[in-house]
Amino acid sequence: MAATIGDVARVAGVSRSTVSYALSGKRAISEETRTRIQAAIDELGFTPNAGARALATAQTNVLGLYLQFQEDEFAPAMLQYVLPVSTTAREHGYDLLMVTDADRVNAVRRTTSSAMIDGVVLLDVTYDDSRLEPLREAPQPAVLIGYARNGEGFDSYDLDFGEAARIVVDHLADLGHRDIVLITPPRHVYERGGSYAWRFRDAAVERAARYGIRLVAHEGDSRQPGITDSLDAALAASPHATALMVHNDATIAALPAYLDKRGMRVPDDLSVVGVFSQEFGQAFSLPYTAAETSPDRLGQEAVRQLIRRIHSPEEAGEPRVRFIEPELVDRGSTRPVA
Amino acid sequence: MAATIGDVARVAGVSRSTVSYALSGKRAISEETRTRIQAAIDELGFTPNAGARALATAQTNVLGLYLQFQEDEFAPAMLQYVLPVSTTAREHGYDLLMVTDADRVNAVRRTTSSAMIDGVVLLDVTYDDSRLEPLREAPQPAVLIGYARNGEGFDSYDLDFGEAARIVVDHLADLGHRDIVLITPPRHVYERGGSYAWRFRDAAVERAARYGIRLVAHEGDSRQPGITDSLDAALAASPHATALMVHNDATIAALPAYLDKRGMRVPDDLSVVGVFSQEFGQAFSLPYTAAETSPDRLGQEAVRQLIRRIHSPEEAGEPRVRFIEPELVDRGSTRPVA
DNA sequence: CTGAAAGCGCTTACAG
DNA sequence: CTGAAAGCGCTTACAG
């Protein structure tokens, strides 16, 4: 059916190996031969068979991307990480196998042990991530986007959520706020082991304590009416709060509507600081100062490191955790306390 | 490195073909032999090499999913289609190659002609979709999610946006509305050839005309401040409008905040009807009556048909367009005109 | 019920 | 600068 390298060789009047070398550029080919081969390729519309090439070279030029769209999660947030991973992979000649199996452990085992991919990008990493076990036995290198306690031996990229909390608290402290409400990710994120939840919360609590600031953390929700209920409860529990910190995608997305409904103006009645990316803020028209989460940078650096480790492990260095430093993007949603 | 079928055969004391047949079940194997083979497989941790299998069988068990995250589009909406495609594919034993290249035509050509995949799922289909040309030359079958003018020869699945418009207009007409504003997708969707934009709009205009109802269509935006500006302009141009139809994801997501800010109550001051899915409405807490877009059903049916066409083309029947009938989900955001 | 062998379409030492 | 041949790890007619 489709043309093979043998067809090209025959039409061009050369051997199959010469065609192969012309394709890869791994040895010198005379100008004339190269031209004949190219003509044959064009005439036949030849493209190398990926499976055959993978078999011969033991590499597929495919990366596995492992993620799950949790029923109870705010899907748009996940997408921010998929996009840069996909783009960066293609820039380096890799395609992406998107693996979303409910059985995450087996999905990793299945795809790595069958040699479908050259490397693994793990999204949605949890503190005790059960996928790391099969991953240690896999011949392919892997990179984690997120943080796992048992992640030693792997490259990991994550935002420094502790630092994110500190810069937000510092910012509010500088403005004189002494009573702050924090909305954290929902309970199921903690239960699942999403360490960003408590890393941010604990650092915020500790930093506030150092300033002698009252800061009360409340678990938010990812759906209505829970989002509204948790905000109601949090604000009721801190009637004199002057600032609201939100580390919860669904809540921050719903916040403009919520505050409007309650008749609260930002920053006049309440200072607000979030934790989200530039693009996220734009998609949801969020006018809030925030710690930037830089999913683009995370995804890009993670994939680059993975590809480095695939091609030249020595250059890649020792696998380690890299925490990206967050920056505070001031959108004017905070003001000094009178 | 990794165990091969030859290793299994040696350990089990049988031939490679017997191991292969034990794996595939394509011929009878004695109980005893089967046991020995299974023991060897377990001992060695053997998984068949996907590339080798693909080369031998000429099938990869991978489907290509082609999409693009447009800079100017509302990403969350796209995700609704990715998820059911991914889930349904896995249920049938297929993995998903996610292809997001900026050069869409070449991406199709590259992946189909290198035999990386067994079938194609095209998302983001436009009226004159340039990817259909390479697709016609591809040996793999394809399914389109969306509608293309030049889509003959392919299975296509799309919502019947014309019917969606009619049931919405009918609903409002029944309630006595005589002056309606419609927010359509942004201009760039029309320019790109997103036929759902004008299919909905034209049907709405026509249906309204039949009732003698005033209905004015305005292009919406996908970002702030354009979203607010277009709503402002649309409502200003129809000062006596009693109902708002929104066929624009970014706009409907921003609508609660917008209407709150303008101090308009739904449905007391304005009846509102949207066009979005159940999950989308839930993710964004949208309290609006809407024509359900059923991305789950679309994605699932599309993939099933594609897999049917891969396995038994005769059963799959003639390729044709299937328009899914929308239903109106009443969430109480409309009321009779006094 | 089982085996030996050819073949899928590439790449890459080996040889000249 | 080029070719003949082995090999990657499977599947599947062919044979018994």
Side-chain angles (χ1 to χ4, degrees):
Chain A
M1 180 77 219
T4 73
I5 201 171
D7 299 327
V8 175
R10 189 165 23 74
V11 171
V14 298
S15 72
R16 295 189 303 154
S17 56
T18 300
V19 176
S20 178
Y21 284 117
L23 247 32
S24 68
K26 287 191 181 172
R27 78 180 182 194
I29 307 282
S30 75
E31 192 48 43
E32 197 232 318
T33 304
R34 183 186 302 287
T35 309
R36 283 218 315 282
I37 290 175
Q38 190 53 56
I41 287 175
D42 293 344
E43 180 188 333
L44 298 168
F46 167 74
T47 312
N49 179 293
R53 181 171 270 180
L55 186 56
T57 61
Q59 46 172 34
T60 60
N61 286 319
V62 174
L63 301 180
L65 176 66
Y66 300 76
L67 59 100
Q68 222 166 8
F69 300 101
Q70 314 278 0
E71 182 69 38
D72 52 3
E73 224 158 74
F74 196 62
M78 165 110 321
L79 202 60
Q80 307 178 275
Y81 293 87
V82 174
L83 194 49
V85 166
S86 159
T87 306
T88 310
R90 269 318 295 154
E91 285 170 3
H92 294 265
Y94 285 85
D95 278 297
L96 224 54
L97 195 75
M98 195 179 74
V99 186
T100 61
D101 299 35
D103 183 343
R104 301 153 70 103
V105 175
N106 258 321
V108 168
R109 209 187 303 278
R110 177 173 68 80
T111 48
T112 55
S113 65
S114 61
M116 300 179 77
I117 56 174
D118 294 340
V120 165
V121 180
L122 234 50
L123 243 46
D124 254 343
V125 172
T126 60
Y127 196 53
D128 277 299
D129 202 304
S130 53
R131 296 171 295 179
L132 298 188
E133 197 187 329
L135 219 46
R136 286 186 201 288
E137 287 158 23
Q140 300 93 339
V143 64
L144 320 189
I145 297 184
Y147 179 75
R149 169 168 60 177
N150 54 340
E152 65 283 358
F154 295 105
D155 290 304
S156 302
Y157 288 81
D158 200 6
L159 190 74
D160 187 339
F161 281 97
E163 184 61 17
R166 287 185 287 273
I167 63 176
V168 171
V169 171
D170 286 356
H171 174 72
L172 292 174
D174 285 351
L175 293 171
H177 293 272
R178 311 283 306 160
D179 191 345
I180 302 175
V181 169
L182 166 63
I183 302 292
T184 80
R187 169 173 300 273
H188 59 75
V189 170
Y190 291 91
E191 288 168 352
R192 193 183 294 143
S195 70
Y196 58 94
W198 64 78
R199 282 157 53 209
F200 187 94
R201 180 199 58 194
D202 295 352
V205 166
E206 185 189 319
R207 192 67 156 200
R210 176 196 294 198
Y211 287 119
I213 289 176
R214 178 172 193 266
L215 184 151
V216 185
H218 293 260
E219 289 166 8
D221 206 334
S222 57
R223 296 281 178 197
Q224 290 293 16
I227 294 171
T228 291
D229 294 346
S230 58
L231 279 167
D232 282 345
L235 293 176
S238 294
H240 304 299
T242 55
L244 176 65
M245 289 170 60
V246 180
H247 178 214
N248 180 311
D249 295 321
T251 298
I252 198 79
L255 198 61
Y258 174 83
L259 292 178
D260 262 354
K261 193 157 292 175
R262 287 206 36 165
M264 303 178 81
R265 318 269 324 162
V266 174
D268 299 321
D269 304 326
L270 192 69
S271 286
V272 171
V273 188
V275 185
F276 54 81
S277 74
Q278 153 75 25
E279 306 97 15
F280 188 88
Q282 197 169 323
F284 293 95
S285 312
L286 303 180
Y288 308 125
T289 293
E292 167 67 43
T293 55
S294 308
D296 277 16
R297 213 185 126 195
L298 270 168
Q300 184 179 71
E301 293 193 11
V303 171
R304 283 191 180 156
Q305 173 67 359
L306 176 61
I307 290 174
R308 207 175 296 129
R309 196 166 289 293
I310 291 171
H311 289 144
S312 45
E314 61 289 349
E315 264 184 45
E318 281 301 298
R320 61 187 185 82
V321 180
R322 276 156 241 244
F323 286 118
I324 306 275
E325 289 309 298
E327 276 178 33
L328 197 72
V329 179
D330 194 330
R331 298 191 179 90
S333 65
T334 57
R335 56 159 233 177
V337 172
Chain B
M1 178 80 220
T4 73
I5 201 171
D7 299 326
V8 174
R10 189 164 24 73
V11 170
V14 298
S15 73
R16 296 189 304 152
S17 57
T18 299
V19 176
S20 179
Y21 283 118
L23 247 31
S24 69
K26 287 191 180 172
R27 77 179 181 193
I29 307 282
S30 76
E31 192 48 41
E32 197 232 320
T33 304
R34 181 185 302 284
T35 310
R36 284 217 314 284
I37 290 175
Q38 190 53 54
I41 288 175
D42 294 342
E43 180 188 334
L44 297 168
F46 168 74
T47 312
N49 179 293
R53 182 172 269 181
L55 185 57
T57 62
Q59 45 172 36
T60 60
N61 286 320
V62 174
L63 302 179
L65 176 64
Y66 300 77
L67 58 101
Q68 223 166 8
F69 300 102
Q70 315 277 0
E71 183 70 37
D72 53 2
E73 224 159 74
F74 196 61
M78 166 110 318
L79 202 60
Q80 307 177 275
Y81 292 88
V82 174
L83 195 49
V85 166
S86 160
T87 305
T88 309
R90 268 317 296 154
E91 285 170 3
H92 294 265
Y94 284 86
D95 278 298
L96 223 54
L97 195 76
M98 196 178 72
V99 186
T100 61
D101 300 35
D103 184 342
R104 300 153 70 104
V105 175
N106 259 320
V108 167
R109 209 187 303 275
R110 177 173 67 79
T111 49
T112 55
S113 65
S114 61
M116 303 179 76
I117 55 174
D118 295 339
V120 165
V121 180
L122 234 50
L123 243 46
D124 255 343
V125 171
T126 59
Y127 196 52
D128 277 298
D129 202 303
S130 53
R131 298 171 294 178
L132 299 188
E133 198 187 329
L135 220 45
R136 285 184 202 290
E137 287 158 22
Q140 300 92 340
V143 64
L144 320 188
I145 297 185
Y147 179 76
R149 170 168 60 176
N150 54 339
E152 65 284 357
F154 296 105
D155 291 303
S156 302
Y157 288 80
D158 200 5
L159 190 74
D160 187 338
F161 281 96
E163 184 61 17
R166 287 185 288 271
I167 63 176
V168 171
V169 171
D170 285 357
H171 173 72
L172 292 173
D174 286 351
L175 292 171
H177 293 271
R178 310 285 304 161
D179 191 345
I180 302 175
V181 169
L182 165 63
I183 303 292
T184 78
R187 171 173 298 272
H188 59 74
V189 170
Y190 291 91
E191 287 168 352
R192 192 182 295 144
S195 70
Y196 58 92
W198 64 78
R199 282 156 55 210
F200 187 94
R201 181 200 58 194
D202 294 352
V205 167
E206 187 189 317
R207 191 69 154 199
R210 176 197 293 197
Y211 287 118
I213 289 176
R214 179 172 191 265
L215 184 151
V216 185
H218 294 259
E219 289 165 6
D221 207 334
S222 56
R223 296 281 178 198
Q224 290 293 15
I227 295 172
T228 291
D229 293 346
S230 59
L231 278 166
D232 282 345
L235 292 176
S238 295
H240 304 297
T242 55
L244 176 65
M245 289 171 60
V246 179
H247 178 213
N248 180 311
D249 295 320
T251 299
I252 197 80
L255 198 62
Y258 175 83
L259 292 178
D260 261 353
K261 193 156 290 175
R262 288 206 36 164
M264 303 179 80
R265 318 265 328 160
V266 173
D268 299 322
D269 304 326
L270 191 69
S271 288
V272 171
V273 188
V275 185
F276 55 81
S277 75
Q278 153 75 24
E279 305 97 10
F280 188 88
Q282 197 170 322
F284 293 94
S285 313
L286 303 180
Y288 308 124
T289 294
E292 167 68 43
T293 54
S294 308
D296 278 14
R297 214 185 127 196
L298 270 168
Q300 184 178 72
E301 292 192 12
V303 171
R304 284 191 179 156
Q305 173 68 359
L306 175 60
I307 290 174
R308 205 175 298 128
R309 196 166 289 291
I310 291 171
H311 288 145
S312 44
E314 61 290 348
E315 264 183 44
E318 280 302 298
R320 61 187 184 82
V321 180
R322 276 156 242 243
F323 286 118
I324 305 275
E325 289 309 298
E327 274 178 35
L328 197 73
V329 178
D330 195 329
R331 298 190 179 89
S333 65
T334 58
R335 56 161 234 177
V337 173

